[in-house]
Amino acid sequence: MIRQVSHGPRGGHALLAGLKRPATSPATFNSAVDLETLTRIPEFTPTPQSDCAQIVPNFVSKHVRQHCVAIARNRMKVRLQKLPRPPREPSAVPSFAAVMMADVSGYSTLTSILAERGSTGVDLLGKTMKGYLDRIIATILTHDGDIVKFAGDAVIVYWKLQSHEAETEINRGELVLKAAFCCMDLLNSLGTYDINVPNCSTKVLRLHLGIGAGQIYDVHVGGSPGRWEHFIAGDALRQLSQVLDLAKAGELAMSHAALKWFSSVVDIETIRVAGYDKRCVLIHGLEKARRKIPRSNQAPSSGPAELELSLFSDILHSYINESALFKLQADINQSNLFRLPSDLPNLLKLQEIRQITTVFIKLDTIISKWESGDALKIAQSTMQCVQEALIKYEGSLRQFHVDDKGAVMLAFFGLPPLAHLNDASHGIKAVLEIRHRLMDLLDEFSIGVTTGVVSIGGVGINDRTEYAVMGDSINMAARLMCHPEARNAMLCDEKTYILCKNEFEFEKLGETKVKGKANPIRIFRPLSARLEAIHDEAARAQISKEIIGRAREKDLIFSVLHSFDKEEVGVAVLEADGGQGLSTLFGFTKEEALGGGCLTWYVLAVIFQLPYE
């Protein structure tokens, strides 16, 4: 028999308590569906299914796929020669590239407005941004751009010279031209994107774009004890950091270095220029652009033949964060369970809403200056330091990238399969350790920590996709990271402080204005763990019993637990939305259940949402 204590909306926390009948006597259950009903269920019709292994390559850039194939080929060669497998080493390989960054204007305001609506607003944010980002990604791929990183509401893309291509002015100019045509296509078709969110003052989202060109480094860092990360750095990225903010919504800003190469293949007099100064050139149109040289009819080289996926799938997995792999497999399993199509486009429509703690880490500018021979060594040491702390406190490394803000690392606490009763506490423990170790590695860094409800869902198309994590708290973590008070320290928001104030000492820094918020927000600096913090489980259990109020819920819990017939199997389920302060009630229920000879299980559930059609 099954007795339900409380049933709320899907998602959140659940505590199950049950009595197990001795194995010497067979248990009987009241079936919810009889045999006659089962025979009337229509025959199951298989729907398109996806294999997780076949989808994984879409979660990395073209460069990473090629890099993984090269590693696999080298392994095969070594194996044939019966030599020991060489270790994977960090690397920074230079080449020429045109780099573009597309940033969405209006995103910060939209997230702030929708954050006031709770999980419903977060859900709306995820669905709204998915529609826009899907189209942006599809347009970039039609212009053969290689998407390196999804950085919140921005996308970092590059077109680079391949190893078999000559480094001539013409070839470099062709890459910048490709990037420019991609940008103008984006502005013409998606420069203004109408959104329809009820009772929301933000009605449109807009793009602004920047292009830089020059030497870049394909950087690979990581490995044991965690995973690998690929990002690009170098002069072209530094140019982007200077020009992107000069482009207003609906504009394209090109660096002078990129314009130099661009002018080697296009007559500058034939393009529409809106502004020109010593910092950048604002380009408004290429519809009348005239080439200086004929377009090359030479077919692009196909490069080395692809390997069978099974020969390098383990290498690919080492570049993808564990939470993405877990969600992908979970979504496939859920789709199969509910007899839904589990092909990639349908999988990407599935969203989760959950509370997580976000950690942004901004690193010393030397990591952005790859001409220095020490940059790779420092980046590798930093990556190792952060990953060791994340593994110790069960967080998830989201990414390591270089963008207009510099070198940045992003981590989450609370993403599946690593979720805890108080992820904020795990996050603060990790950043305290990271800060201590970074003091010996870097001259300057800063850390921002926030906690809030976010949307987790897929963006992209079949050839390139990503699980995007979106929410106001993520934006706020980035804002705190850039705050002057965060220099060589960390800042956190008020929600993280409230969740952790009994475990850690904090310095209260008052209120500050941040972008995207109409009113100032309170900020705090975590200092250290409190000596009097409660770690004893027995003490926690005693606190759980001291509940103020909840009389109706306690009476119901007593009634159900005491009504269990010890000669049968009984199950009680207490379910509620996360983030509503019900942890104490769960602790109370657990103690009462254990006192009555029950077994208990605590489950962190997530919302499983079908897409709007």
Side-chain angles (χ1 to χ4, degrees):
M1 116 186 113
I2 298 177
R3 293 186 173 90
Q4 185 174 321
V5 176
S6 175
H7 190 277
R10 295 173 297 175
H13 309 271
L15 181 75
L16 288 77
L19 285 169
K20 188 159 75 172
R21 180 180 175 84
T24 54
S25 176
T28 59
F29 293 87
N30 295 325
S31 175
V33 183
D34 58 28
L35 184 59
E36 181 181 356
T37 303
L38 284 172
T39 59
R40 294 199 300 267
I41 296 177
E43 183 178 352
F44 171 56
T45 303
T47 55
Q49 304 298 313
S50 289
D51 177 6
C52 182
Q54 297 298 322
I55 295 175
V56 164
N58 300 320
F59 281 81
V60 298
S61 64
K62 288 186 290 185
H63 167 82
V64 170
R65 293 179 218 170
Q66 294 166 359
H67 183 73
C68 292
V69 168
I71 293 175
R73 289 185 184 281
N74 188 50
R75 286 182 178 179
M76 294 168 62
K77 180 179 178 181
V78 167
R79 191 183 304 119
L80 289 173
Q81 295 175 349
K82 298 183 179 179
L83 297 174
R85 177 187 291 183
R88 289 172 64 181
E89 298 288 348
S91 62
V93 180
S95 63
F96 179 90
V99 183
M100 180 266 283
M101 188 168 179
D103 192 25
V104 178
S105 297
Y107 174 76
S108 296
T109 303
L110 180 64
T111 56
S112 180
I113 292 172
L114 293 182
E116 298 175 1
R117 305 186 189 183
S119 60
T120 300
V122 173
D123 181 43
L124 283 170
L125 174 68
K127 289 182 168 63
T128 300
M129 289 305 299
K130 173 175 170 53
Y132 198 15
L133 290 173
D134 283 358
R135 296 181 64 182
I136 291 172
I137 293 165
T139 302
I140 291 169
L141 294 182
T142 61
H143 289 272
D144 201 31
D146 193 3
I147 299 176
V148 183
K149 294 290 181 182
F150 297 88
D153 60 333
V155 182
I156 302 172
V157 191
Y158 73 160
W159 292 258
K160 72 169 186 173
L161 285 177
Q162 302 301 313
S163 58
H164 60 275
E165 295 177 316
E167 289 201 19
T168 64
E169 285 192 10
I170 301 302
N171 285 342
R172 292 179 176 184
E174 293 288 358
L175 294 180
V176 180
L177 182 60
K178 284 184 178 182
F181 271 122
C182 177
C183 288
M184 296 315 302
D185 194 2
L186 285 169
L187 289 178
N188 291 334
S189 60
L190 298 168
T192 300
Y193 184 76
D194 295 329
I195 60 175
N196 183 22
V197 177
N199 303 316
C200 179
S201 58
T202 300
K203 300 298 181 183
V204 297
L205 298 173
R206 306 188 72 186
L207 280 177
H208 66 120
L209 307 107
I211 294 178
Q215 187 175 60
I216 61 102
Y217 291 82
D218 279 297
V219 183
H220 296 262
V221 292
S224 180
R227 63 180 184 85
W228 287 86
E229 267 285 318
H230 164 252
F231 60 90
I232 59 174
D235 183 51
L237 272 295
R238 284 197 293 274
Q239 296 168 32
L240 271 185
S241 67
Q242 297 168 1
V243 306
L244 185 62
D245 288 339
L246 299 176
K248 298 178 182 177
E251 291 185 338
L252 164 63
M254 180 182 289
S255 72
H256 285 286
L259 183 67
K260 171 189 172 184
W261 305 115
F262 183 71
S263 64
S264 65
V265 294
V266 172
D267 183 355
I268 298 299
E269 299 296 326
T270 64
I271 66 174
R272 285 198 292 126
V273 176
Y276 185 99
D277 63 23
K278 63 180 181 180
R279 297 172 297 176
C280 73
V281 179
L282 296 178
I283 298 177
H284 267 202
L286 298 175
E287 61 275 4
K288 295 183 180 180
R290 186 172 65 246
R291 296 180 63 94
K292 289 183 177 180
I293 58 170
R295 188 188 306 274
S296 173
N297 294 322
Q298 181 179 359
S301 172
S302 59
E306 285 287 340
L307 284 180
E308 183 181 337
L309 180 59
S310 61
L311 296 176
F312 64 98
S313 61
D314 63 318
I315 309 173
L316 277 175
H317 278 69
S318 69
Y319 279 91
I320 303 174
N321 65 80
E322 183 182 12
S323 61
L325 293 171
F326 182 88
K327 176 167 171 54
L328 176 60
Q329 188 61 64
D331 285 348
I332 292 174
N333 295 344
Q334 290 272 29
S335 297
N336 294 342
L337 177 64
F338 291 103
R339 302 181 179 184
L340 299 171
S342 65
D343 55 310
L344 183 56
N346 282 287
L347 289 175
L348 296 181
K349 295 178 182 178
L350 303 178
Q351 291 196 47
E352 293 178 10
I353 308 297
R354 64 165 60 230
Q355 179 173 289
I356 66 169
T357 293
T358 302
V359 177
F360 261 110
I361 308 172
K362 185 177 180 181
L363 305 170
D364 192 307
T365 53
I366 192 172
I367 294 185
S368 303
K369 298 177 181 178
W370 288 90
E371 292 75 12
S372 166
D374 293 333
L376 178 61
K377 181 180 178 181
I378 295 174
Q380 174 65 14
S381 298
T382 303
M383 179 76 167
Q384 186 171 11
C385 155
V386 172
Q387 289 208 102
E388 286 175 353
L390 293 178
I391 291 171
K392 180 177 180 179
Y393 296 106
E394 297 190 327
S396 302
L397 176 66
R398 167 71 169 140
Q399 61 184 213
F400 188 162
H401 68 265
V402 176
D403 61 12
D404 57 318
K405 296 181 181 66
V408 175
M409 297 186 76
L410 173 60
F412 294 121
F413 289 81
L415 290 182
L418 304 173
H420 314 88
L421 194 58
N422 190 351
D423 287 297
S425 174
H426 285 251
I428 294 297
K429 290 175 184 176
V431 296
L432 286 172
E433 182 169 314
I434 290 170
R435 176 190 174 277
H436 176 72
R437 296 185 61 181
L438 289 183
M439 293 292 287
D440 296 328
L441 288 173
L442 303 174
D443 294 330
E444 187 175 341
F445 63 90
S446 56
I447 303 173
V449 184
T450 58
T451 301
V453 179
V454 302
S455 165
I456 309 166
V459 297
I461 59 176
N462 280 337
D463 293 330
R464 187 69 171 96
T465 189
E466 180 67 275
Y467 278 124
V469 185
M470 300 182 191
D472 184 61
S473 64
I474 300 175
N475 287 0
M476 289 304 103
R479 303 282 183 259
L480 295 184
M481 172 189 71
C482 296
H483 195 281
E485 290 284 355
R487 185 178 183 272
N488 289 344
M490 73 278 289
L491 296 180
C492 75
D493 66 341
E494 187 170 13
K495 186 163 188 176
T496 304
Y497 164 75
I498 291 172
L499 291 170
C500 298
K501 63 183 180 180
N502 292 330
E503 295 184 58
F504 302 92
E505 297 287 353
F506 289 85
E507 179 184 357
K508 298 179 181 180
L509 300 175
E511 295 185 337
T512 188
K513 288 283 291 182
V514 295
K515 179 182 175 182
K517 290 292 184 182
N519 299 315
I521 65 169
R522 297 180 68 194
I523 58 174
F524 305 81
R525 176 179 288 121
L527 299 175
S528 61
R530 293 182 59 177
L531 295 177
E532 67 272 23
I534 300 173
H535 297 291
D536 185 77
E537 187 65 29
R540 289 184 181 274
Q542 182 63 33
I543 288 177
S544 296
K545 292 184 178 182
E546 298 172 359
I547 298 179
I548 299 175
R550 302 284 189 190
R552 180 175 176 275
E553 289 86 348
K554 288 194 290 186
D555 288 344
L556 188 56
I557 290 168
F558 282 133
S559 174
V560 172
L561 291 178
H562 294 168
S563 67
F564 277 155
D565 183 349
K566 290 183 168 38
E567 296 303 316
E568 298 182 5
V569 175
V571 176
V573 180
L574 173 61
E575 182 182 358
D577 277 338
Q580 296 193 11
L582 295 172
S583 300
T584 304
L585 184 61
F586 283 160
F588 168 81
T589 306
K590 176 181 177 181
E591 291 304 309
E592 292 298 323
L594 291 173
C598 298
L599 301 176
T600 63
W601 297 267
Y602 179 76
V603 179
L604 279 171
V606 297
I607 298 176
F608 179 78
Q609 293 186 320
L610 301 181
Y612 295 138
E613 297 295 347

